Amino acid sequence: MLTGQASLYYRDIGQGSPIIVVHGGPDFDHSYLLPELDHLADSFRLIYYDQRGRGRSAVGVEAENVTIRSEMEDLERLRRQFQLEAFAVLGHSWGGVLAMEYAIRYPDRVSHLILMTTAPASHDDSVLLREHFRRIRPAADVERMQTLSSNDLFKQGDFDVEAGYYWIHFGLTLPQPELLERVVGRLRTHFTKESVLTARAIEHRLYEETWLSAEYDLLPKLRKLRIPTLVIHGDEDFIPIEVAAHIARAVPGARLSVLIGCGHFAYLQQPDQIKEQITATLARVN
């Protein structure tokens, strides 16, 4: 699908009520969600896409072409491409930020808002997240990650060195080695070294627009929504539960579901519970 000067890659699977899936990162693509999240396609129509400048949507995109505004435009073009009057939006991790941004801008086009182990909705909560990381991450892991990220090969987008970095980073929330290997192994499936660097630059630009700005705060705007909302969080997520609770309290009628023994990749760790909760939420109407 063409969007501005970029070609947006999408994947359409399943039948039923439409759900547009917004992946995290923000420097990844949707590949890390598969195949486990496809479990939902037994009951729903899932529309995945790679965000502009990432994965298979990277061709011809420069980092300066990507902003929160362009991200919203791309979601709108997806809606029009599939001729959807309204749809459920499911955001994982950073994708939760984009899902909330879209719901705030186009509340009449979002039938349901699903936030799975979502990232913070405000600058203050992003500070809370960073402080939480400092408390829970072992000093040896911090040192190893700093060593890897300062490596010249890492700076050149080397897949193996970067994988070592993310093995430590996500190991904090995904202690099962076989599951951790699955996630890390999928992060750069559709990237080149050059597109990794572009994706990192995009990540920094989006952070500058959001968490790095002291004024950034979606919570007051979320209070105006009248959209059935599910906030799913794992009690072992490396994003503190307070982040999810603040969002759930802000959205009128939102339901906060805390999964026990679950980290940041809930769709991978507890797929049946995820499907059950999303099915129940999509049965709700305003």
Side-chain angles (χ1 to χ4, degrees), residues 118 125 219 231 233 240-251 256:
T118 185
D125 276 355
L219 297 175
V231 182
H233 214 74
I241 189 65
E242 291 89 344
V243 167
H246 293 164
I247 294 168
R249 283 200 293 268
V251 181
L256 173 61

Side-chain angles (χ1 to χ4, degrees), residues 33-201:
L33 297 166
L34 306 179
E36 289 80 15
L37 199 61
D38 275 356
H39 188 43
L40 292 172
D42 294 340
S43 305
F44 306 104
R45 181 186 185 187
L46 302 181
I47 301 169
Y48 300 93
Y49 73 106
D50 289 350
Q51 291 156 25
R52 189 187 302 199
R54 283 140 288 178
R56 283 168 282 190
S57 298
V59 177
V61 177
E62 302 292 337
E64 55 265 28
N65 300 142
V66 182
T67 63
I68 292 294
R69 179 177 177 177
S70 73
E71 300 281 60
M72 298 301 100
E73 291 171 350
D74 290 347
L75 267 168
E76 239 325 76
R77 290 188 176 104
L78 272 174
R79 183 189 68 82
R80 293 199 297 266
Q81 169 79 13
F82 291 101
Q83 300 180 357
L84 303 175
E85 183 175 344
F87 60 92
V89 59
L90 188 164
H92 175 255
S93 192
W94 166 262
V97 175
L98 298 184
M100 288 184 280
E101 288 272 10
Y102 184 85
I104 288 166
R105 285 169 169 78
Y106 305 104
D108 57 328
R109 297 168 195 175
V110 177
S111 65
H112 300 80
L113 178 60
I114 304 165
L115 305 173
M116 186 191 307
T117 58
T118 185
S122 69
H123 166 78
D124 287 350
D125 276 355
S126 75
V127 173
L128 177 68
L129 172 59
R130 290 194 295 273
E131 292 174 346
H132 183 67
F133 273 151
R134 283 194 287 269
R135 287 195 302 270
I136 67 173
R137 198 181 295 283
D141 284 0
V142 173
E143 183 177 352
R144 289 166 62 203
M145 291 173 69
Q146 289 174 343
T147 298
L148 287 168
S149 62
S150 62
N151 185 297
D152 285 343
L153 290 175
F154 182 93
K155 294 176 182 179
Q156 295 164 15
D158 183 87
F159 296 156
D160 292 336
V161 176
E162 190 191 58
Y165 178 94
Y166 281 118
W167 187 276
I168 301 168
H169 178 62
F170 289 128
L172 197 62
T173 188
L174 195 57
Q176 304 94 331
E178 68 281 5
L179 299 184
L180 182 58
E181 184 174 8
R182 284 190 216 172
V183 170
V184 173
R186 298 169 185 167
L187 294 179
R188 298 306 186 193
T189 303
H190 300 289
F191 283 79
T192 64
K193 289 182 180 180
E194 293 74 18
S195 67
V196 167
L197 301 184
T198 299
R200 289 179 189 168

Side-chain angles (χ1 to χ4, degrees), residues 267-286:
Y267 65 91
L268 179 65
Q269 296 171 280
Q270 298 190 17
D272 291 338
Q273 291 88 333
I274 291 297
K275 183 175 182 180
E276 178 181 339
Q277 303 237 4
I278 290 176
T279 299
T281 297
L282 265 66
R284 291 175 55 197
V285 294
N286 285 326

